Amino acid sequence: MFIGRTLGWTMVAIAIIMASSEALMALSAGSYHGLATSDVWALLWGQSPDFLQGNLSGNIWRFLAALVLAMPAWAVIGPSGIILAHACRKRPPKGRLFHVS
């Protein structure tokens, strides 16, 4: 659980840094195209995502995958980190079903 929380908060911090750097680049002179999720995928794994050409059941999954990969990277990594940190949070122990006196 500790590793999941740490990874989640690290992803949130990276997303904040990515969003702030994209904001600075967008305000600078000249044209700037944001860093898409597919670009981050290619940087991490060394190739562009090829599962879109695979045999997915239905066109809706290809559409959703293409939509997520076209989004800015910070918009995908940030919420994913929040979900991961929330799923791996510390939870209070639940009470027993039968109380023993």
Side-chain angles (χ1 to χ4, degrees):
M1 292 298 182
F2 175 75
I3 295 172
R5 281 194 314 266
T6 304
L7 182 63
W9 285 114
T10 303
M11 289 171 68
V12 170
I14 289 171
I16 290 171
I17 292 169
M18 290 171 82
S20 62
S21 67
E22 282 201 23
L24 286 175
M25 292 299 289
L27 292 174
S28 67
S31 65
Y32 174 71
H33 302 288
L35 184 65
T37 307
S38 60
D39 299 335
V40 174
W41 180 285
L43 287 172
L44 290 176
W45 281 275
Q47 61 184 1
S48 61
D50 57 353
F51 59 86
L52 293 177
Q53 288 82 21
N55 188 7
L56 295 174
S57 59
N59 291 334
I60 188 73
W61 295 113
R62 283 193 198 105
F63 173 74
L64 289 175
L67 184 69
V68 168
L69 288 173
M71 292 174 67
W74 60 267
V76 175
I77 294 174
S80 300
I82 290 172
I83 290 170
L84 184 62
H86 179 72
C88 296
R89 71 187 188 278
K90 287 184 179 177
R91 296 183 183 126
K94 302 211 185 244
R96 292 185 178 175
L97 182 60
F98 300 108
H99 294 285
V100 179
S101 298

